[in-house]
């Protein structure tokens, strides 16, 4: 099955403003976020990307624009199921203000029980995102082969929940995972289990390219020799 490259969007105006953006319209990349997006094509240059999928939110679409400009053969697919968590009444509010809300303690320590007023639960967020990935895995494998690499640009909580799903971690542990703006996380899916091969990576990605002899379904005892 394919290798999924998960890109968190570049730093946004909401990130620097300390605001929980959610689906609030008009949240764009800030100056640093635009610079991060501009560097993305170079970071991904070694990878033969088969498909590009993005959250419909502006900050994700802007993050991928330099990559699409550099690779005009790629077409952007928009996927609502990897859009940000629907934070409901919390959307657009300052994180400092929300820190005193009793629900924040649940979000931090017991997220599987957290449901945002006027929004969705974190369980629903993880379920929709994981279902989207599984459907895209099948589509990419069908259209491009089992060794294909494809990319999704999404949001911090979505990516963390997908990492937890891949690792078989309960959602209550997903707050232990950290993905910074424009970081890259890679999950290689196989018939029996996923392998987390990058987490929050900001360095060289050439070793994620398909190899002449693709890795098998089993984990390498002792850790393996790495990229050739």
């Amino acid at each position: 099955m394919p290798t999924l490259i998960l890109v968190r969007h570049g730093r946004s105006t909401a990130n620097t403003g300390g605001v929980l953006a959610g689906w609030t319209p008009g949240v764009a990349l800030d100056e640093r976020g635009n610079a991060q997006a501009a560097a993305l094509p170079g970071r991904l240059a070694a990878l033969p990307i088969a498909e590009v999928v993005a959250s419909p939110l502006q900050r994700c679409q802007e993050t991928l624009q330099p990559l699409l400009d550099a690779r005009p053969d790629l077409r952007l697919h928009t996927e609502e199921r990897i859009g940000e968590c629907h934070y409901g009444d919390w959307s657009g509010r300052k994180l400092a203000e929300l820190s005193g809300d009793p629900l924040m303690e649940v979000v931090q320590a017991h997220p599987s029980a957290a449901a945002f007023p006027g929004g969705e639960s974190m369980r629903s967020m993880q379920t929709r995102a994981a279902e989207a990935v599984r459907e895209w895995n099948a589509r990419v494998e069908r259209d491009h082969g089992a060794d294909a690499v494809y990319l999704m640009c999404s949001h911090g909580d979505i990516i963390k929940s997908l990492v937890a799903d891949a690792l078989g971690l309960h959602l209550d542990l997903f707050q232990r995972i950290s993905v910074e703006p424009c970081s890259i996380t890679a999950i290689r899916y196989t018939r029996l289990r996923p392998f987390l091969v990058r987490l929050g990576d900001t360095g060289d990605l050439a070793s994620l390219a398909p190899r002449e002899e693709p890795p098998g379904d089993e984990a390498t005892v002792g850790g393996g020799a790495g990229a050739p």
Side-chain angles (χ1 to χ4, degrees):
M1 295 178 71
T3 295
L4 169 60
I5 307 298
L6 287 162
V7 179
R8 185 184 170 195
H9 62 78
R11 196 175 75 175
S12 72
T13 54
N15 295 146
T16 49
V19 172
L20 186 64
W23 285 68
T24 305
V27 177
L29 299 183
D30 68 4
E31 184 177 358
R32 180 175 176 183
N34 280 307
Q36 291 170 332
L40 196 58
R43 294 169 63 196
L44 296 168
L47 301 185
I49 299 171
E51 300 282 1
V52 175
V53 187
S55 156
L57 295 173
Q58 179 179 339
R59 52 199 183 273
C60 288
Q61 303 272 324
E62 289 180 347
T63 297
L64 290 183
Q65 193 56 56
L67 176 64
L68 296 172
D69 291 343
R71 301 199 192 189
D73 56 312
L74 291 175
R75 180 169 68 91
L76 179 64
H77 303 274
T78 297
E79 173 60 76
E80 290 212 0
R81 291 175 295 175
I82 63 167
E84 181 63 284
C85 185
H86 290 277
Y87 295 116
D89 297 345
W90 279 27
S91 299
R93 293 175 62 185
K94 290 277 190 178
L95 288 166
E97 172 191 338
L98 294 168
S99 64
D101 191 303
L103 178 58
M104 183 60 85
E105 185 178 11
V106 181
V107 170
Q108 293 297 320
H110 190 19
S112 67
F116 296 97
E120 70 178 331
S121 69
M122 302 200 89
R123 293 191 315 278
S124 297
M125 174 201 74
Q126 183 186 43
T127 297
R128 63 171 165 86
E131 287 177 349
V133 166
R134 282 164 174 77
E135 289 179 20
W136 274 98
N137 282 347
R139 176 175 174 174
V140 169
E141 181 171 4
R142 180 197 69 205
D143 294 345
H144 303 283
D147 297 328
V149 176
Y150 76 106
L151 182 148
M152 282 184 167
C153 184
S154 187
H155 307 267
D157 279 351
I158 295 288
I159 294 172
K160 287 161 57 179
S161 75
L162 290 171
V163 170
D165 175 76
L167 292 176
L169 293 177
H170 196 283
L171 185 61
D172 286 345
L173 301 178
F174 100 127
Q175 298 290 26
R176 302 182 183 195
I177 300 163
S178 176
V179 289
E180 296 185 359
C182 224
S183 64
I184 290 174
T185 294
I187 302 171
R188 181 170 59 83
Y189 289 87
T190 76
R191 184 176 63 87
L192 298 179
R193 64 179 67 84
F195 291 87
L196 178 65
V197 292
R198 291 288 190 282
L199 176 62
D201 198 305
T202 58
D204 176 41
L205 299 172
S207 64
L208 297 179
R211 305 179 191 178
E212 291 184 6
E213 295 184 10
D217 289 348
E218 299 296 326
T220 303
V221 177

PDB file of all heavy atoms in Angstrom, residues 160-191:
ATOM      1  N   LYS A 160      -2.049  14.519  14.235  1.00  0.00           N
ATOM      2  CA  LYS A 160      -1.774  13.792  15.473  1.00  0.00           C
ATOM      3  C   LYS A 160      -2.722  12.605  15.645  1.00  0.00           C
ATOM      4  O   LYS A 160      -2.321  11.527  16.074  1.00  0.00           O
ATOM      5  CB  LYS A 160      -1.886  14.739  16.663  1.00  0.00           C
ATOM      6  CG  LYS A 160      -0.741  15.726  16.776  1.00  0.00           C
ATOM      7  CD  LYS A 160      -1.084  16.916  17.660  1.00  0.00           C
ATOM      8  CE  LYS A 160      -1.500  16.501  19.046  1.00  0.00           C
ATOM      9  NZ  LYS A 160      -1.812  17.671  19.901  1.00  0.00           N
ATOM     10  N   SER A 161      -3.986  12.796  15.295  1.00  0.00           N
ATOM     11  CA  SER A 161      -4.946  11.695  15.430  1.00  0.00           C
ATOM     12  C   SER A 161      -4.648  10.578  14.439  1.00  0.00           C
ATOM     13  O   SER A 161      -4.850   9.397  14.747  1.00  0.00           O
ATOM     14  CB  SER A 161      -6.379  12.206  15.256  1.00  0.00           C
ATOM     15  OG  SER A 161      -6.697  12.485  13.911  1.00  0.00           O
ATOM     16  N   LEU A 162      -4.151  10.922  13.252  1.00  0.00           N
ATOM     17  CA  LEU A 162      -3.788   9.902  12.268  1.00  0.00           C
ATOM     18  C   LEU A 162      -2.542   9.144  12.690  1.00  0.00           C
ATOM     19  O   LEU A 162      -2.426   7.935  12.458  1.00  0.00           O
ATOM     20  CB  LEU A 162      -3.586  10.543  10.897  1.00  0.00           C
ATOM     21  CG  LEU A 162      -4.864  11.058  10.223  1.00  0.00           C
ATOM     22  CD1 LEU A 162      -4.521  11.869   8.977  1.00  0.00           C
ATOM     23  CD2 LEU A 162      -5.799   9.904   9.875  1.00  0.00           C
ATOM     24  N   VAL A 163      -1.609   9.831  13.321  1.00  0.00           N
ATOM     25  CA  VAL A 163      -0.422   9.152  13.854  1.00  0.00           C
ATOM     26  C   VAL A 163      -0.836   8.183  14.949  1.00  0.00           C
ATOM     27  O   VAL A 163      -0.375   7.028  14.994  1.00  0.00           O
ATOM     28  CB  VAL A 163       0.604  10.173  14.371  1.00  0.00           C
ATOM     29  CG1 VAL A 163       1.720   9.480  15.152  1.00  0.00           C
ATOM     30  CG2 VAL A 163       1.194  10.976  13.217  1.00  0.00           C
ATOM     31  N   ALA A 164      -1.712   8.630  15.846  1.00  0.00           N
ATOM     32  CA  ALA A 164      -2.193   7.744  16.905  1.00  0.00           C
ATOM     33  C   ALA A 164      -2.880   6.520  16.313  1.00  0.00           C
ATOM     34  O   ALA A 164      -2.660   5.383  16.757  1.00  0.00           O
ATOM     35  CB  ALA A 164      -3.143   8.501  17.833  1.00  0.00           C
ATOM     36  N   ASP A 165      -3.692   6.730  15.283  1.00  0.00           N
ATOM     37  CA  ASP A 165      -4.370   5.613  14.619  1.00  0.00           C
ATOM     38  C   ASP A 165      -3.348   4.644  14.029  1.00  0.00           C
ATOM     39  O   ASP A 165      -3.483   3.423  14.169  1.00  0.00           O
ATOM     40  CB  ASP A 165      -5.290   6.163  13.533  1.00  0.00           C
ATOM     41  CG  ASP A 165      -5.946   5.068  12.717  1.00  0.00           C
ATOM     42  OD1 ASP A 165      -6.884   4.429  13.220  1.00  0.00           O
ATOM     43  OD2 ASP A 165      -5.519   4.841  11.563  1.00  0.00           O
ATOM     44  N   ALA A 166      -2.332   5.172  13.374  1.00  0.00           N
ATOM     45  CA  ALA A 166      -1.318   4.320  12.749  1.00  0.00           C
ATOM     46  C   ALA A 166      -0.531   3.517  13.790  1.00  0.00           C
ATOM     47  O   ALA A 166      -0.151   2.372  13.543  1.00  0.00           O
ATOM     48  CB  ALA A 166      -0.366   5.167  11.909  1.00  0.00           C
ATOM     49  N   LEU A 167      -0.297   4.112  14.943  1.00  0.00           N
ATOM     50  CA  LEU A 167       0.479   3.447  15.985  1.00  0.00           C
ATOM     51  C   LEU A 167      -0.372   2.560  16.884  1.00  0.00           C
ATOM     52  O   LEU A 167       0.166   1.883  17.775  1.00  0.00           O
ATOM     53  CB  LEU A 167       1.203   4.497  16.844  1.00  0.00           C
ATOM     54  CG  LEU A 167       2.317   5.279  16.161  1.00  0.00           C
ATOM     55  CD1 LEU A 167       2.859   6.340  17.107  1.00  0.00           C
ATOM     56  CD2 LEU A 167       3.432   4.368  15.696  1.00  0.00           C
ATOM     57  N   GLY A 168      -1.684   2.562  16.669  1.00  0.00           N
ATOM     58  CA  GLY A 168      -2.551   1.795  17.548  1.00  0.00           C
ATOM     59  C   GLY A 168      -2.674   2.394  18.929  1.00  0.00           C
ATOM     60  O   GLY A 168      -2.987   1.697  19.897  1.00  0.00           O
ATOM     61  N   LEU A 169      -2.456   3.704  19.041  1.00  0.00           N
ATOM     62  CA  LEU A 169      -2.577   4.395  20.322  1.00  0.00           C
ATOM     63  C   LEU A 169      -4.015   4.827  20.551  1.00  0.00           C
ATOM     64  O   LEU A 169      -4.699   5.281  19.623  1.00  0.00           O
ATOM     65  CB  LEU A 169      -1.690   5.642  20.352  1.00  0.00           C
ATOM     66  CG  LEU A 169      -0.183   5.469  20.335  1.00  0.00           C
ATOM     67  CD1 LEU A 169       0.490   6.833  20.297  1.00  0.00           C
ATOM     68  CD2 LEU A 169       0.283   4.688  21.547  1.00  0.00           C
ATOM     69  N   HIS A 170      -4.463   4.733  21.784  1.00  0.00           N
ATOM     70  CA  HIS A 170      -5.768   5.276  22.141  1.00  0.00           C
ATOM     71  C   HIS A 170      -5.747   6.786  21.918  1.00  0.00           C
ATOM     72  O   HIS A 170      -4.715   7.445  22.113  1.00  0.00           O
ATOM     73  CB  HIS A 170      -6.082   4.954  23.607  1.00  0.00           C
ATOM     74  CG  HIS A 170      -7.522   5.118  23.973  1.00  0.00           C
ATOM     75  ND1 HIS A 170      -8.092   6.344  24.189  1.00  0.00           N
ATOM     76  CD2 HIS A 170      -8.502   4.205  24.138  1.00  0.00           C
ATOM     77  CE1 HIS A 170      -9.376   6.189  24.493  1.00  0.00           C
ATOM     78  NE2 HIS A 170      -9.652   4.896  24.465  1.00  0.00           N
ATOM     79  N   LEU A 171      -6.881   7.324  21.517  1.00  0.00           N
ATOM     80  CA  LEU A 171      -6.956   8.766  21.278  1.00  0.00           C
ATOM     81  C   LEU A 171      -6.564   9.566  22.515  1.00  0.00           C
ATOM     82  O   LEU A 171      -6.065  10.690  22.398  1.00  0.00           O
ATOM     83  CB  LEU A 171      -8.365   9.148  20.821  1.00  0.00           C
ATOM     84  CG  LEU A 171      -8.587  10.611  20.421  1.00  0.00           C
ATOM     85  CD1 LEU A 171      -7.697  11.001  19.235  1.00  0.00           C
ATOM     86  CD2 LEU A 171     -10.061  10.861  20.088  1.00  0.00           C
ATOM     87  N   ASP A 172      -6.756   9.010  23.700  1.00  0.00           N
ATOM     88  CA  ASP A 172      -6.378   9.728  24.915  1.00  0.00           C
ATOM     89  C   ASP A 172      -4.882   9.990  25.016  1.00  0.00           C
ATOM     90  O   ASP A 172      -4.443  10.797  25.838  1.00  0.00           O
ATOM     91  CB  ASP A 172      -6.848   8.954  26.154  1.00  0.00           C
ATOM     92  CG  ASP A 172      -8.346   9.056  26.361  1.00  0.00           C
ATOM     93  OD1 ASP A 172      -8.985   9.932  25.752  1.00  0.00           O
ATOM     94  OD2 ASP A 172      -8.888   8.239  27.137  1.00  0.00           O
ATOM     95  N   LEU A 173      -4.077   9.310  24.185  1.00  0.00           N
ATOM     96  CA  LEU A 173      -2.626   9.511  24.203  1.00  0.00           C
ATOM     97  C   LEU A 173      -2.150  10.439  23.089  1.00  0.00           C
ATOM     98  O   LEU A 173      -0.959  10.733  23.006  1.00  0.00           O
ATOM     99  CB  LEU A 173      -1.909   8.163  24.091  1.00  0.00           C
ATOM    100  CG  LEU A 173      -2.216   7.143  25.194  1.00  0.00           C
ATOM    101  CD1 LEU A 173      -1.486   5.841  24.921  1.00  0.00           C
ATOM    102  CD2 LEU A 173      -1.834   7.699  26.564  1.00  0.00           C
ATOM    103  N   PHE A 174      -3.066  10.915  22.245  1.00  0.00           N
ATOM    104  CA  PHE A 174      -2.594  11.629  21.064  1.00  0.00           C
ATOM    105  C   PHE A 174      -2.012  12.999  21.390  1.00  0.00           C
ATOM    106  O   PHE A 174      -1.255  13.554  20.599  1.00  0.00           O
ATOM    107  CB  PHE A 174      -3.700  11.702  20.011  1.00  0.00           C
ATOM    108  CG  PHE A 174      -4.469  12.995  19.914  1.00  0.00           C
ATOM    109  CD1 PHE A 174      -4.595  13.640  18.704  1.00  0.00           C
ATOM    110  CD2 PHE A 174      -5.098  13.559  21.026  1.00  0.00           C
ATOM    111  CE1 PHE A 174      -5.319  14.818  18.585  1.00  0.00           C
ATOM    112  CE2 PHE A 174      -5.819  14.728  20.917  1.00  0.00           C
ATOM    113  CZ  PHE A 174      -5.922  15.366  19.687  1.00  0.00           C
ATOM    114  N   GLN A 175      -2.311  13.547  22.555  1.00  0.00           N
ATOM    115  CA  GLN A 175      -1.733  14.838  22.924  1.00  0.00           C
ATOM    116  C   GLN A 175      -0.236  14.726  23.236  1.00  0.00           C
ATOM    117  O   GLN A 175       0.432  15.740  23.405  1.00  0.00           O
ATOM    118  CB  GLN A 175      -2.473  15.442  24.131  1.00  0.00           C
ATOM    119  CG  GLN A 175      -3.944  15.744  23.889  1.00  0.00           C
ATOM    120  CD  GLN A 175      -4.187  16.908  22.938  1.00  0.00           C
ATOM    121  OE1 GLN A 175      -3.353  17.224  22.087  1.00  0.00           O
ATOM    122  NE2 GLN A 175      -5.331  17.552  23.066  1.00  0.00           N
ATOM    123  N   ARG A 176       0.286  13.519  23.292  1.00  0.00           N
ATOM    124  CA  ARG A 176       1.729  13.332  23.494  1.00  0.00           C
ATOM    125  C   ARG A 176       2.513  13.502  22.190  1.00  0.00           C
ATOM    126  O   ARG A 176       3.743  13.496  22.197  1.00  0.00           O
ATOM    127  CB  ARG A 176       2.007  11.943  24.062  1.00  0.00           C
ATOM    128  CG  ARG A 176       1.291  11.661  25.373  1.00  0.00           C
ATOM    129  CD  ARG A 176       1.631  10.296  25.923  1.00  0.00           C
ATOM    130  NE  ARG A 176       0.872  10.007  27.141  1.00  0.00           N
ATOM    131  CZ  ARG A 176       1.147   9.033  27.990  1.00  0.00           C
ATOM    132  NH1 ARG A 176       2.191   8.242  27.756  1.00  0.00           N
ATOM    133  NH2 ARG A 176       0.414   8.828  29.065  1.00  0.00           N
ATOM    134  N   ILE A 177       1.796  13.631  21.086  1.00  0.00           N
ATOM    135  CA  ILE A 177       2.411  13.765  19.765  1.00  0.00           C
ATOM    136  C   ILE A 177       2.471  15.243  19.405  1.00  0.00           C
ATOM    137  O   ILE A 177       1.538  15.998  19.676  1.00  0.00           O
ATOM    138  CB  ILE A 177       1.590  12.981  18.715  1.00  0.00           C
ATOM    139  CG1 ILE A 177       1.544  11.496  19.075  1.00  0.00           C
ATOM    140  CG2 ILE A 177       2.155  13.188  17.314  1.00  0.00           C
ATOM    141  CD1 ILE A 177       0.460  10.723  18.350  1.00  0.00           C
ATOM    142  N   SER A 178       3.559  15.667  18.787  1.00  0.00           N
ATOM    143  CA  SER A 178       3.719  17.073  18.405  1.00  0.00           C
ATOM    144  C   SER A 178       4.101  17.181  16.935  1.00  0.00           C
ATOM    145  O   SER A 178       5.003  16.466  16.474  1.00  0.00           O
ATOM    146  CB  SER A 178       4.807  17.729  19.268  1.00  0.00           C
ATOM    147  OG  SER A 178       5.033  19.065  18.854  1.00  0.00           O
ATOM    148  N   VAL A 179       3.398  18.030  16.189  1.00  0.00           N
ATOM    149  CA  VAL A 179       3.747  18.317  14.793  1.00  0.00           C
ATOM    150  C   VAL A 179       3.735  19.827  14.594  1.00  0.00           C
ATOM    151  O   VAL A 179       2.722  20.482  14.796  1.00  0.00           O
ATOM    152  CB  VAL A 179       2.787  17.614  13.800  1.00  0.00           C
ATOM    153  CG1 VAL A 179       3.026  16.125  13.798  1.00  0.00           C
ATOM    154  CG2 VAL A 179       1.325  17.903  14.112  1.00  0.00           C
ATOM    155  N   GLU A 180       4.868  20.382  14.246  1.00  0.00           N
ATOM    156  CA  GLU A 180       5.002  21.825  14.091  1.00  0.00           C
ATOM    157  C   GLU A 180       4.507  22.277  12.722  1.00  0.00           C
ATOM    158  O   GLU A 180       4.336  21.467  11.806  1.00  0.00           O
ATOM    159  CB  GLU A 180       6.462  22.230  14.290  1.00  0.00           C
ATOM    160  CG  GLU A 180       6.981  21.961  15.694  1.00  0.00           C
ATOM    161  CD  GLU A 180       8.385  22.492  15.886  1.00  0.00           C
ATOM    162  OE1 GLU A 180       8.959  23.045  14.921  1.00  0.00           O
ATOM    163  OE2 GLU A 180       8.902  22.360  17.003  1.00  0.00           O
ATOM    164  N   PRO A 181       4.280  23.581  12.560  1.00  0.00           N
ATOM    165  CA  PRO A 181       3.844  24.087  11.257  1.00  0.00           C
ATOM    166  C   PRO A 181       4.808  23.702  10.135  1.00  0.00           C
ATOM    167  O   PRO A 181       6.024  23.794  10.276  1.00  0.00           O
ATOM    168  CB  PRO A 181       3.813  25.606  11.464  1.00  0.00           C
ATOM    169  CG  PRO A 181       3.521  25.764  12.923  1.00  0.00           C
ATOM    170  CD  PRO A 181       4.276  24.647  13.584  1.00  0.00           C
ATOM    171  N   CYS A 182       4.234  23.227   9.050  1.00  0.00           N
ATOM    172  CA  CYS A 182       4.945  22.810   7.840  1.00  0.00           C
ATOM    173  C   CYS A 182       5.896  21.641   8.084  1.00  0.00           C
ATOM    174  O   CYS A 182       6.776  21.376   7.262  1.00  0.00           O
ATOM    175  CB  CYS A 182       5.671  23.973   7.166  1.00  0.00           C
ATOM    176  SG  CYS A 182       5.443  23.969   5.362  1.00  0.00           S
ATOM    177  N   SER A 183       5.714  20.934   9.196  1.00  0.00           N
ATOM    178  CA  SER A 183       6.487  19.709   9.399  1.00  0.00           C
ATOM    179  C   SER A 183       5.880  18.588   8.576  1.00  0.00           C
ATOM    180  O   SER A 183       4.722  18.655   8.162  1.00  0.00           O
ATOM    181  CB  SER A 183       6.522  19.328  10.879  1.00  0.00           C
ATOM    182  OG  SER A 183       5.224  19.014  11.341  1.00  0.00           O
ATOM    183  N   ILE A 184       6.672  17.569   8.343  1.00  0.00           N
ATOM    184  CA  ILE A 184       6.259  16.450   7.495  1.00  0.00           C
ATOM    185  C   ILE A 184       6.290  15.164   8.307  1.00  0.00           C
ATOM    186  O   ILE A 184       7.276  14.845   8.974  1.00  0.00           O
ATOM    187  CB  ILE A 184       7.170  16.345   6.262  1.00  0.00           C
ATOM    188  CG1 ILE A 184       6.903  17.537   5.332  1.00  0.00           C
ATOM    189  CG2 ILE A 184       6.980  15.022   5.532  1.00  0.00           C
ATOM    190  CD1 ILE A 184       7.822  17.628   4.159  1.00  0.00           C
ATOM    191  N   THR A 185       5.180  14.468   8.254  1.00  0.00           N
ATOM    192  CA  THR A 185       5.035  13.165   8.899  1.00  0.00           C
ATOM    193  C   THR A 185       4.725  12.158   7.807  1.00  0.00           C
ATOM    194  O   THR A 185       3.928  12.444   6.910  1.00  0.00           O
ATOM    195  CB  THR A 185       3.904  13.214   9.942  1.00  0.00           C
ATOM    196  OG1 THR A 185       4.288  14.102  10.997  1.00  0.00           O
ATOM    197  CG2 THR A 185       3.600  11.839  10.509  1.00  0.00           C
ATOM    198  N   ALA A 186       5.356  11.003   7.844  1.00  0.00           N
ATOM    199  CA  ALA A 186       5.153   9.998   6.796  1.00  0.00           C
ATOM    200  C   ALA A 186       4.735   8.678   7.417  1.00  0.00           C
ATOM    201  O   ALA A 186       5.328   8.217   8.398  1.00  0.00           O
ATOM    202  CB  ALA A 186       6.425   9.817   5.972  1.00  0.00           C
ATOM    203  N   ILE A 187       3.703   8.086   6.840  1.00  0.00           N
ATOM    204  CA  ILE A 187       3.205   6.790   7.272  1.00  0.00           C
ATOM    205  C   ILE A 187       3.182   5.863   6.065  1.00  0.00           C
ATOM    206  O   ILE A 187       2.576   6.187   5.039  1.00  0.00           O
ATOM    207  CB  ILE A 187       1.789   6.897   7.871  1.00  0.00           C
ATOM    208  CG1 ILE A 187       1.781   7.867   9.063  1.00  0.00           C
ATOM    209  CG2 ILE A 187       1.287   5.517   8.297  1.00  0.00           C
ATOM    210  CD1 ILE A 187       0.394   8.201   9.571  1.00  0.00           C
ATOM    211  N   ARG A 188       3.882   4.735   6.170  1.00  0.00           N
ATOM    212  CA  ARG A 188       3.867   3.736   5.104  1.00  0.00           C
ATOM    213  C   ARG A 188       2.874   2.657   5.489  1.00  0.00           C
ATOM    214  O   ARG A 188       3.030   1.985   6.509  1.00  0.00           O
ATOM    215  CB  ARG A 188       5.261   3.138   4.902  1.00  0.00           C
ATOM    216  CG  ARG A 188       5.307   2.088   3.780  1.00  0.00           C
ATOM    217  CD  ARG A 188       6.739   1.693   3.442  1.00  0.00           C
ATOM    218  NE  ARG A 188       7.464   1.139   4.565  1.00  0.00           N
ATOM    219  CZ  ARG A 188       7.397  -0.133   4.959  1.00  0.00           C
ATOM    220  NH1 ARG A 188       6.608  -0.979   4.330  1.00  0.00           N
ATOM    221  NH2 ARG A 188       8.111  -0.558   5.992  1.00  0.00           N
ATOM    222  N   TYR A 189       1.848   2.525   4.690  1.00  0.00           N
ATOM    223  CA  TYR A 189       0.799   1.549   4.960  1.00  0.00           C
ATOM    224  C   TYR A 189       1.128   0.223   4.277  1.00  0.00           C
ATOM    225  O   TYR A 189       1.629   0.204   3.163  1.00  0.00           O
ATOM    226  CB  TYR A 189      -0.556   2.073   4.494  1.00  0.00           C
ATOM    227  CG  TYR A 189      -1.072   3.200   5.357  1.00  0.00           C
ATOM    228  CD1 TYR A 189      -0.722   4.526   5.100  1.00  0.00           C
ATOM    229  CD2 TYR A 189      -1.879   2.939   6.463  1.00  0.00           C
ATOM    230  CE1 TYR A 189      -1.179   5.553   5.911  1.00  0.00           C
ATOM    231  CE2 TYR A 189      -2.334   3.963   7.280  1.00  0.00           C
ATOM    232  CZ  TYR A 189      -1.981   5.264   7.003  1.00  0.00           C
ATOM    233  OH  TYR A 189      -2.419   6.283   7.819  1.00  0.00           O
ATOM    234  N   THR A 190       0.851  -0.873   4.963  1.00  0.00           N
ATOM    235  CA  THR A 190       1.016  -2.201   4.389  1.00  0.00           C
ATOM    236  C   THR A 190      -0.265  -2.992   4.650  1.00  0.00           C
ATOM    237  O   THR A 190      -1.183  -2.515   5.329  1.00  0.00           O
ATOM    238  CB  THR A 190       2.215  -2.965   4.995  1.00  0.00           C
ATOM    239  OG1 THR A 190       1.861  -3.437   6.308  1.00  0.00           O
ATOM    240  CG2 THR A 190       3.452  -2.087   5.085  1.00  0.00           C
ATOM    241  N   ARG A 191      -0.322  -4.203   4.132  1.00  0.00           N
ATOM    242  CA  ARG A 191      -1.524  -5.019   4.286  1.00  0.00           C
ATOM    243  C   ARG A 191      -1.830  -5.320   5.751  1.00  0.00           C
ATOM    244  O   ARG A 191      -2.988  -5.414   6.153  1.00  0.00           O
ATOM    245  CB  ARG A 191      -1.354  -6.332   3.510  1.00  0.00           C
ATOM    246  CG  ARG A 191      -2.577  -7.239   3.504  1.00  0.00           C
ATOM    247  CD  ARG A 191      -2.353  -8.457   2.625  1.00  0.00           C
ATOM    248  NE  ARG A 191      -1.261  -9.287   3.127  1.00  0.00           N
ATOM    249  CZ  ARG A 191      -1.423 -10.251   4.036  1.00  0.00           C
ATOM    250  NH1 ARG A 191      -2.615 -10.496   4.541  1.00  0.00           N
ATOM    251  NH2 ARG A 191      -0.385 -10.969   4.430  1.00  0.00           N
TER     252      ARG A 191
END
